[in-house]
Amino acid sequence: MVTMTPIIIEGNQFTAITVALPKTNFMAITNDKGYIMCGALDVALLNEKLKDRAIIAGRAVGVRTIDQLLEAPLESVTYEAENLGISVGTKGKDALLKML
C-alpha cells in the first residue's frame, strides 16, 4: 500500500510518502526542492553517479514511522544539502525547513 499525506511544519507544506513493503516500509518527506528519506536512500550514489543533478537529500536510519523520520538525526546528506547548511546530525524536520 502507498500513502501520501500532507504535513505542515511551521506553516510550510511537505508531502509524506510511505510505501508498505514486505517486512519493511519505505518513507520519504519531500517538497519541490528536496527530501529526507529512510535508510533506503543511497546518498553515495546521489553524490557520485548523479552529482550533475544537484539533489538535495538526507537519510535517517532506524526509523519506522514518518514521525520518527521527522525527529531523527540525519545519518548522511548530499553535497547539495550541505550547501544549504544541512549536516549529519541535523534533525529531519530542521533539514526540511532549510529546503524552503
Side-chain angles (χ1 to χ4, degrees):
M1 178 197 309
V2 177
T3 59
M4 293 179 58
T5 308
I7 292 180
I8 306 298
I9 303 171
E10 295 184 12
N12 301 286
Q13 184 167 332
F14 298 88
T15 302
I17 303 159
T18 302
V19 180
L21 301 170
K23 300 183 184 180
T24 193
N25 287 326
F26 168 90
M27 294 172 294
I29 305 171
T30 186
N31 69 358
D32 60 350
K33 192 169 185 179
Y35 56 93
I36 60 171
M37 213 169 105
C38 64
L41 180 63
D42 188 344
V43 171
L45 173 79
L46 299 180
N47 280 337
E48 296 165 19
K49 305 276 186 196
L50 304 178
K51 185 177 182 177
D52 61 317
R53 297 186 190 184
I55 296 170
I56 300 167
R59 167 183 152 157
V61 295
V63 296
R64 295 184 173 189
T65 68
I66 292 295
D67 287 337
Q68 288 176 351
L69 182 56
L70 287 167
E71 295 300 321
L74 298 179
E75 176 267 344
S76 54
V77 300
T78 62
Y79 298 141
E80 292 300 318
E82 287 177 338
N83 289 339
L84 289 180
I86 301 166
S87 59
V88 170
T90 300
K91 190 184 286 191
K93 69 180 173 185
D94 294 332
L96 290 168
L97 290 171
K98 290 183 182 235
M99 295 179 194
L100 296 173

